[in-house]
Amino acid sequence: MDSEQLLAALAPGRTAALARAISLVENGGPGFEELLAALHPRLGRARRIGITGPPGAGKSTLIQHLVQTWRRRGLTVAVIAVDPTSPATGGALLGDRIRMEEVALDQGVYIRSMATRGSLGGLAVSTREVLDVLDASGFDRLVIETVGVGQSELAVTGMADSTVLVLVPESGDGIQALKSGLMEIADVYAVNKADRPGAEQLAREIEITLGIRRGNAFRGMRGHHGAARPQDAGTQGREDGKLEGRKDGTTEGRKDGKPEGPTDGKPEAMAAGWEPPVLLTVASKGEGVEALIEALDRHYAWMTVGGELEARRKRRLAARTREVVDRAMQRWTWQESRAEAVLRERLDDVAAGRMSPYQLAGEIVSGLKQGARR
């Protein structure tokens, strides 16, 4: 099947065409860039949602319930589940989709497992481009599940419209939360396995961490001797400062999971800034999933009204363009110029210590510049 046939065949439910197109893009096969270029005008309808967090946080189970809820609403969903590649064998288990077996046979759901193939950042090298294929195919929701990440694998934020950070009571204490780079990037926080001890405490620590960044870390707490502080006017919360851990998955605020106070989810107020909600979920029981979807919908509405959605997508396109240029320049440098020949000619000098790798690199770059000026 050539690129034109693939282009015509791509649609939710056409799993054979989707699989061929994704394999072509993932492997960098002949014509993959032409296919992506032809798909570009179709992009932009799907919402891209990143799900990240440490290993064992329950991301796959949570995604399964998200998918089931979206499907009940008539939405089509594609999931990219990224699994780590073994540095020893180069293989990958690709087992995350096993936890989503209840939705795997649904014609409105497409699940693709990808190996990182040594890529850093919790995602595979070609994840961005595979997302484009799925977006152009007409899916309503695209979900990107990263590998179990640590503190700095933040690549998912450059691919998603909204990012959910899933944590569990075992994720660590408040100091761990403060130092984790992941705390800087999420749009929604989900404390999963909230039926375990310590879940509400972790949620409160996240709230405080986020409050330190916003300058309102102790909003909702009583002042000295129980007196209300002036800056707390209009806020609610328990007098002991603890979170209201409700069955609907929210940790604080109104029962519908929407923010308290003057913002109240209204478009004119939302443009002022987004305060990431901290939700309690129990993925194994499907608890808190509706509240999580509502939070994602509110975040999407806020981005749309304030222009953040367009800004994020433009940043993605700029990053993609740079990646394509880098890829083309690397291919040209080592396959079509004299760079590889110069490297082989000078390698003995570098090995003998008569020249450093930096000097050799400078000579190669200088030769490339001279050739470009001719």
Side-chain angles (χ1 to χ4, degrees), residues 39 44 55 57 164 274 344 352:
L39 292 175
V164 179
W274 173 257
R344 289 196 300 268

Side-chain angles (χ1 to χ4, degrees), residues 40-67:
H40 181 73
R42 298 188 188 182
L43 303 184
R45 194 173 74 89
R47 296 189 197 177
R48 304 186 183 197
I49 298 162
I51 308 291
T52 189
K59 298 186 293 296
S60 298
T61 305
L62 186 61
I63 289 171
Q64 175 179 296
H65 286 284
L66 286 170
V67 171

Side-chain angles (χ1 to χ4, degrees), residues 192-205:
N192 194 32
K193 305 182 183 179
D195 51 349
R196 295 185 179 182
E200 288 193 25
Q201 178 63 27
L202 174 61
R204 186 58 186 170
E205 289 170 349

Side-chain angles (χ1 to χ4, degrees), residues 252-321:
E252 186 177 22
R254 299 181 352 183
K255 291 183 179 180
D256 59 3
K258 295 181 179 179
E260 285 284 358
T263 60
D264 202 27
K266 297 178 181 178
E268 62 269 23
M270 286 194 295
W274 173 257
E275 295 192 2
V278 182
L279 310 178
L280 297 174
T281 63
V282 184
S284 61
K285 302 176 182 177
E287 295 179 5
V289 173
E290 291 282 355
L292 178 55
I293 288 179
E294 289 174 7
L296 289 169
D297 288 344
R298 286 188 285 111
H299 182 246
Y300 186 83
W302 171 80
M303 289 192 296
T304 302
V305 171
E308 176 63 18
L309 180 62
E310 182 181 5
R312 289 190 182 196
R313 291 182 172 180
K314 283 183 176 179
R315 287 195 293 269
R316 281 208 302 264
L317 292 172
R320 175 71 55 76
T321 303

Side-chain angles (χ1 to χ4, degrees), residues 105-128:
L105 298 180
D106 188 329
Q107 289 298 305
V109 178
Y110 183 81
I111 302 174
R112 178 77 177 203
S113 293
M114 298 180 66
T116 58
R117 300 187 182 186
S119 174
L120 300 178
L123 296 170
V125 174
S126 58
T127 303
R128 294 174 178 84

